[in-house]
Amino acid sequence: MEQQQATTPRPDRTFVDGADGADSPDSGDGIDVDQAEAALVEHYPRLVRLAYLVLPPGMGRNRRVLTAHAVAQRSLPRRHTDGRDLGLPAQRGGADAATDPGYAFLRLRVLRAALAAGRPRKLPALPPLLPQVWGLRLFPRSGGADELALDQALSALSSASRAAYVLRDLERLTAQDARRVLEAAGVDGAREALDEAGKVAAPAGSRDRSLLESVEFDPCALQARPTDLIRRRQHGRAALAAGVAALVCGTLLALPGDGWGPDGAAAPPYARNPAAEAALDPGKLTVASASAWKSAARQDFSAWPARGDRTGDKALLRRALAVWARPGAGVAVSAAPGTATGPAAGPPQLLFAGVVDHAVVVLFHDGLRVVRYAEAADGEGRGDGSGAALDFARMDGAKAASAGALVVGRTTGNVRYLTAPWVKSVRLVDLLKPDESGQALHIGANGLTDPVPSPRPEQKCMSWPALRMGGELLTDLGELAPARLTYGSPRKPGGAVGPEARAAWARTACQLPAVRGHGVREVNAWRFAEQQLPGGAGSAEWVCTRAETWRGSDSRTMALFQAPAPSGQPYAPGTVAARAEGGTACGPRAPEALAGVLWKATDGQWWLLAAGSEQVTSITATGGVRGEAPGRLLAVEAKAGDRAELAGRSADGGKVEALH
């Protein structure tokens, strides 16, 4: 067991910087609206998670989710606030002290509002005015047995005790700082709340992060289910008896045709102008010839020919275009982050129209977005448009590898791709088995692949399917286009098909769920350092992964510490040492990295290990662990739970920020 502790890193993410500690405004500083707004935008998911955890579980998960978002959004002050009125603990020093007051101020306001929601009321509390969701119930994704056990334990606590537990376990505050924050939030028995929270026996969970950071407690990553359909139907029948409803029904009865009609599930037309009419005319769709890609100036979606067995079905194409322009209430519409869902500015390009499994699918490209329309293949559907779906994904600037395939259909556990006309062979590989060559994947005459297993992030990471197309590696991250996986320096990444790249991704792939559904275009893995572990425990590798999005912003970066793999598990997953959203670290603009982790050796001694990229010429640790080393590697003896701040210097004297 001791050997396992040595070879499996035991990170403590609280040591990096002071951003997650008991940071709060200095007693003499003020908080202006702009500073608070910047903190709210940057830390919005964390503030909503905090509110969700503190709110009473008895209000139900759907209302709890909406209330958590309302609490976080209303935490923004209307005017400049004097920090001296907050009663918060004094700001600890540090390189980023200037960025802490805004977050600490908002955290206190969120705590106050969430605690107030749990206090007894003479009258039942009204739901928040905004945000509101009609016709759907929203709730976070389900976690594992550990998360369920922790959720049940937290439900048994009072609101104040839940807040105490969250401050200590999620915010990583000391008991003293947590008590001071609770008192500032209006909790009378702060000490008793901390004592009650300390009695919660948390499950083992993950070694690299708190269980409170799992998807079980993330009100920003949601699942949707319908509300009481029978009751909604009864309300709808009652509404039909009203005069306005009678007038609407008379208008609908006057429309010609049966079922969906020529416009399918589309709502009534909203405009009559030449551009809008041209975008609705299937006869004006742009269609590339079958050989256009051979002489095209660049290989992108504009060179794709129209394929499928329904490209000549004008009624289907008219229906799809009309639904795109004005989707009716019965159409399920989804869009990748940062993607507009409006109609096309002009006639789009047709990429595919045909039957895929049990659906009829049409794919369009308007130069900026790929749009997927789907309807049931076993009939024309009902008049309300039920069964139709419309998916949007931004894909401007796609070329070559990033325009090599599109998701054309999904079924339970499987996905089917439409490949680019220049793709001649595809192999299905498992990223966790880099030594295996995989199996050839059949591509039909219309460019459709056989069903491919899709990654299952909700299950234990035992495999991760990917597609190898020539010198490129692609994987499904829940978007219309698979994400490209690369390896190497951020300024010159290459296809992840070489032995070193495959081995690196074998130990990294299990972290991909963190960027799933985020509009990711490509993910690069970069081994930026190698470090000899103290006590002759072998060599560890430091890898930085950066996920770039189609919209160009909101990138996600992770620093992974990969200790020597245990015997029999040559590709054991690495451990996340640091995470960041946005910024330039590990990217082409700033190809540099610095990260650290607490690691326990076989003799029981804890060490603070840190490593930087080749630009780093010295590393300094301050705070709970102090040390300095020339070069880009640092190893300092530490104790379990120690906190430290890392700073690096480059050859020109510039500062290299640590990921945290």
Side-chain angles (χ1 to χ4, degrees):
M1 188 64 180
E2 193 69 11
Q3 178 66 31
Q4 178 67 25
Q5 288 179 330
T7 56
T8 302
R10 300 285 301 276
D12 186 343
R13 291 176 53 206
T14 64
F15 77 89
V16 180
D17 230 318
D20 291 335
D23 305 320
S24 50
D26 188 90
S27 59
D29 291 342
I31 306 298
D32 59 30
V33 177
D34 291 339
Q35 184 180 7
E37 182 182 19
L40 179 62
V41 172
E42 181 179 359
H43 301 289
Y44 182 82
R46 191 176 189 89
L47 292 168
V48 178
R49 186 189 294 263
L50 189 148
Y52 178 82
L53 289 166
V54 176
L55 286 169
M59 65 171 52
R61 290 194 294 174
N62 178 69
R63 185 173 175 187
R64 194 173 163 198
V65 164
L66 296 179
T67 305
H69 281 273
V71 166
Q73 292 172 16
R74 294 176 184 176
S75 66
L76 187 67
R78 297 180 181 274
R79 56 181 175 79
H80 181 89
T81 301
D82 191 346
R84 292 173 295 184
D85 298 333
L86 301 179
L88 295 178
Q91 170 68 44
R92 291 198 295 266
D96 293 333
T99 64
D100 294 330
Y103 172 70
F105 170 72
L106 294 176
R107 179 178 63 191
L108 179 61
R109 289 175 63 92
V110 167
L111 270 179
R112 284 175 176 168
L115 289 169
R119 298 190 182 105
R121 297 173 180 263
K122 294 182 179 179
L123 296 175
L126 295 175
L129 294 177
L130 290 174
Q132 284 287 349
V133 176
W134 298 90
L136 288 175
R137 294 175 56 252
L138 303 177
F139 49 91
R141 298 179 181 274
S142 299
D146 290 338
E147 287 85 351
L148 177 61
L150 180 57
D151 186 49
Q152 293 174 343
L154 293 178
S155 299
L157 299 178
S158 64
S159 295
S161 299
R162 278 196 305 276
Y165 188 91
V166 171
L167 289 175
R168 291 179 55 179
D169 195 69
L170 180 66
E171 293 294 289
R172 302 293 179 90
L173 301 189
T174 64
Q176 180 181 4
D177 288 339
R179 178 172 59 84
R180 297 172 69 181
V181 173
L182 288 172
E183 291 173 349
V187 176
D188 293 330
R191 192 182 302 275
E192 292 77 9
L194 283 166
D195 292 339
E196 185 180 2
K199 297 176 183 179
V200 175
S206 170
R207 295 188 174 198
D208 62 311
R209 62 177 182 173
S210 165
L211 280 176
L212 294 182
E213 296 184 61
S214 71
V215 294
E216 175 81 14
F217 308 105
D218 186 2
C220 292
L222 301 171
Q223 297 185 91
R225 293 293 184 271
T227 55
D228 190 332
L229 299 179
I230 299 298
R231 182 175 298 176
R232 284 168 52 187
R233 183 174 299 173
Q234 292 172 347
H235 290 173
R237 290 172 179 170
L240 290 176
V244 175
L247 178 61
V248 173
C249 288
T251 303
L252 293 175
L253 291 173
L255 294 176
D258 298 325
W260 281 8
D263 286 352
Y270 67 92
R272 294 289 184 183
N273 61 70
E277 291 300 311
L280 296 174
D281 187 354
K284 295 184 178 181
L285 285 170
T286 301
V287 179
S289 66
S291 60
W293 63 273
K294 297 180 180 179
S295 57
R298 46 182 277 165
Q299 291 181 332
D300 58 13
F301 293 121
S302 66
W304 280 36
R307 289 170 288 178
D309 56 4
R310 302 284 290 274
T311 54
D313 188 339
K314 299 298 183 183
L316 168 65
L317 298 180
R318 182 182 300 278
R319 202 156 56 236
L321 290 169
V323 173
W324 176 3
R326 48 186 195 279
V331 180
V333 180
S334 68
T339 304
T341 58
Q349 179 183 355
L350 177 64
L351 302 180
F352 178 86
V355 177
V356 180
D357 297 324
H358 302 295
V360 178
V361 177
V362 182
L363 288 178
F364 298 110
H365 180 242
D366 67 354
L368 177 67
R369 303 165 295 175
V370 169
V371 181
R372 177 183 179 270
Y373 169 82
E375 65 182 40
D378 55 358
E380 292 298 320
R382 300 189 295 273
D384 62 355
S386 300
L390 200 60
D391 303 315
F392 296 85
R394 180 174 171 175
M395 295 183 191
D396 48 316
K399 60 181 180 180
S402 53
L406 288 173
V407 172
V408 71
R410 293 184 186 274
T411 55
T412 304
N414 292 309
V415 61
R416 295 186 70 175
Y417 295 96
L418 176 68
T419 59
W422 53 83
V423 174
K424 300 303 179 185
S425 65
V426 180
R427 297 194 72 84
L428 174 63
V429 299
D430 186 349
L431 293 182
L432 305 189
K433 299 177 181 178
D435 299 326
E436 298 183 3
S437 60
Q439 64 184 61
L441 191 62
H442 175 260
I443 303 177
N446 57 3
L448 290 180
T449 68
D450 286 346
V452 177
S454 58
R456 305 293 295 273
E458 69 278 6
Q459 298 180 353
K460 188 175 181 180
C461 189
M462 302 298 293
S463 67
W464 195 279
L467 301 180
R468 185 181 299 164
M469 296 183 178
E472 301 294 342
L473 196 62
L474 307 174
T475 192
D476 177 28
L477 291 181
E479 313 288 348
L480 277 179
R484 180 189 180 211
L485 303 182
T486 60
Y487 178 80
S489 170
R491 285 184 173 165
K492 286 188 177 182
V497 294
E500 181 180 332
R502 293 200 303 269
W505 271 109
R507 304 193 66 180
T508 306
C510 289
Q511 305 300 336
L512 285 173
V515 297
R516 184 178 175 86
H518 192 60
V520 172
R521 174 170 53 88
E522 67 179 37
V523 187
N524 184 54
W526 170 40
R527 190 183 73 168
F528 65 88
E530 184 174 354
Q531 184 174 25
Q532 293 297 319
L533 298 176
S539 177
E541 293 183 347
W542 292 85
V543 175
C544 189
T545 64
R546 181 179 174 92
E548 301 286 0
T549 65
W550 286 100
R551 57 194 179 278
S553 59
D554 301 324
S555 61
R556 295 194 176 184
T557 305
M558 288 187 292
L560 304 177
F561 176 77
Q562 297 179 347
S567 177
Q569 302 180 44
Y571 303 112
T575 301
V576 178
R579 302 174 189 266
E581 295 190 17
T584 59
C586 301
R589 290 184 55 194
E592 57 189 26
L594 173 62
V597 72
L598 284 179
W599 176 81
K600 189 177 182 181
T602 54
D603 59 2
Q605 175 63 53
W606 286 89
W607 293 82
L608 169 62
L609 304 178
S613 53
E614 60 183 6
Q615 297 90 343
V616 177
T617 57
S618 67
I619 301 177
T620 303
T622 57
V625 183
R626 294 182 175 273
E628 185 174 1
R632 57 194 185 110
L633 302 174
L634 172 72
V636 182
E637 291 187 357
K639 298 188 297 293
D642 275 346
R643 298 166 57 90
E645 298 172 5
L646 294 176
R649 292 289 177 183
S650 58
D652 59 2
K655 183 178 180 181
V656 178
E657 298 285 348
L659 286 168
H660 52 80

